[in-house]
Amino acid sequence: MTTFLLLFVLGAALLHASWNVLVKISADRFLGISIIVFFAGLISTAGLFWVGLPTLSSLPWLVLSSILHIGYCLFLSRSYATGDLSQVYPIARGSAPLITAFLSWIILQEVLPPLGMLGIGLIVIGIILIAFPKGKESFQMDSRALIAALITSVFTAFYTLSDGIGSRVSDNALTYILWLFAIHGWSMGVIMYFKYRYTIGQNIRQYWKQGLLGGLMQLLSYGIVIWAMSYVPIVMVAALRETSVLFAMLLSVFILREPFSKMRLLACMVIVAGVIGTKLGE
């Protein structure tokens, strides 16, 4: 992975953490994530006129990924409803690279050099440490939020692999990205309509600015990740993308006033060491 690509993926991680904060501060988390996804779909739909139709080989992956992304949204919003961002986010994102690495090894036979694997391991350890602000005794998380966060990580791993493959079999990664977000956005729009049918107009008028900002950040953040996965091993991009947890923790401290501690400082150092190891272990 070139330094240029590394910086782009880290920028995507920051954007990913930022739109998750918008979801967390929403009074209704499912409505918050639905509006963001819907606006990302609207933006992507406008771009379809310039990219044309997706290839036949990418269609099964587009359909599969759309279903997996809906599952991800459902369980992410559920976990945020009962858990803190600084604990839900590390659990949901920290477990995903391990599952992705296993799936990539089984399905794609992607194996990284030892130093690269060490870097990924450090990133995962650092992410998990963030959920323990003052040691294991401080881990107080509603069981429903914990289960939902773990299920979210499974959906994350599977849609990451699906999108990595889909972007590779597509003639153009941008075409795949825009069609994925358009399909996912309109699918979530339909779900949102039936769930909030009596207040849908009012909700969109009230939260359209949040939706537009969050949708643009979501499109850019995951679009960069899909583009990167078409060039380098999926597991490497997946692990680097999860450094978004580091940014989410900092945002939760400064915006949501959640606690910071020496344990989380240690976690930051471990994650940074992991990013360096991943870069050196190409």
Side-chain angles (χ1 to χ4, degrees):
M1 180 183 290
T2 64
T3 302
F4 176 78
L5 201 57
L6 173 68
L7 292 176
F8 258 78
V9 174
L10 292 177
L14 174 58
L15 290 171
H16 190 278
S18 299
W19 75 256
N20 270 262
V21 171
L22 290 178
V23 173
K24 177 58 183 176
I25 63 178
S26 302
D28 184 329
R29 273 71 179 197
F30 183 75
L31 176 63
I33 197 170
S34 297
I35 289 180
I36 287 174
V37 172
F38 178 64
F39 271 89
L42 288 179
I43 298 170
S44 300
T45 301
L48 296 182
F49 297 99
W50 283 271
V51 298
L53 296 173
T55 59
L56 289 176
S57 57
S58 67
L59 283 179
W61 302 106
L62 282 170
V63 174
L64 176 61
S65 289
S66 298
I67 296 171
L68 292 171
H69 277 281
I70 290 173
Y72 164 79
C73 291
L74 290 172
F75 282 97
L76 180 65
S77 60
R78 182 173 298 180
S79 60
Y80 280 156
T82 51
D84 286 342
L85 175 71
S86 58
Q87 288 193 317
V88 167
Y89 200 71
I91 297 298
R93 309 304 304 191
S95 310
L98 295 177
I99 304 172
T100 304
F102 177 75
L103 293 174
S104 296
W105 174 58
I106 293 294
I107 298 174
L108 302 178
Q109 287 78 54
E110 284 190 353
V111 180
L112 297 181
L115 188 56
M117 291 302 297
L118 175 62
I120 290 174
L122 288 174
I123 290 174
V124 172
I125 291 172
I127 290 171
I128 298 299
L129 285 176
I130 291 177
F132 298 81
K134 297 179 182 179
K136 63 181 181 180
E137 294 81 7
S138 63
F139 185 78
Q140 297 178 349
M141 189 174 179
D142 186 278
S143 59
R144 294 169 298 174
L146 176 60
I147 293 172
L150 290 173
I151 295 175
T152 300
S153 71
V154 175
F155 276 105
T156 300
F158 275 94
Y159 79 59
T160 299
L161 186 67
S162 177
D163 289 328
I165 298 173
S167 66
R168 292 178 181 182
V169 301
S170 176
D171 289 340
N172 188 312
L174 179 60
T175 302
Y176 181 89
I177 292 165
L178 292 179
W179 275 98
L180 172 67
F181 274 93
I183 294 171
H184 181 41
W186 286 105
S187 299
M188 286 296 292
V190 171
I191 295 173
M192 180 173 62
Y193 173 78
F194 283 106
K195 184 174 175 61
Y196 304 98
R197 63 173 64 89
Y198 300 113
T199 58
I200 186 65
Q202 176 185 342
N203 290 332
I204 291 179
R205 285 193 298 271
Q206 183 175 355
Y207 298 112
W208 73 267
K209 292 181 181 179
Q210 176 180 316
L212 181 60
L213 176 61
L216 184 60
M217 289 193 295
Q218 186 185 70
L219 177 59
L220 287 173
S221 66
Y222 195 52
I224 291 171
V225 167
I226 296 176
W227 167 69
M229 290 192 296
S230 64
Y231 292 100
V232 298
I234 293 173
V235 61
M236 181 181 291
V237 179
L240 288 173
R241 187 262 304 267
E242 304 313 347
T243 57
S244 60
V245 173
L246 174 61
F247 298 117
M249 180 198 65
L250 297 175
L251 291 171
S252 71
V253 169
F254 290 105
I255 296 178
L256 304 181
R257 303 301 180 184
E258 295 181 3
F260 189 73
S261 65
K262 293 181 179 178
M263 179 65 76
R264 287 184 171 166
L265 177 60
L266 173 63
C268 294
M269 296 170 64
V270 173
I271 291 174
V272 171
V275 171
I276 295 173
T278 302
K279 172 61 179 170
L280 296 177
E282 296 179 43

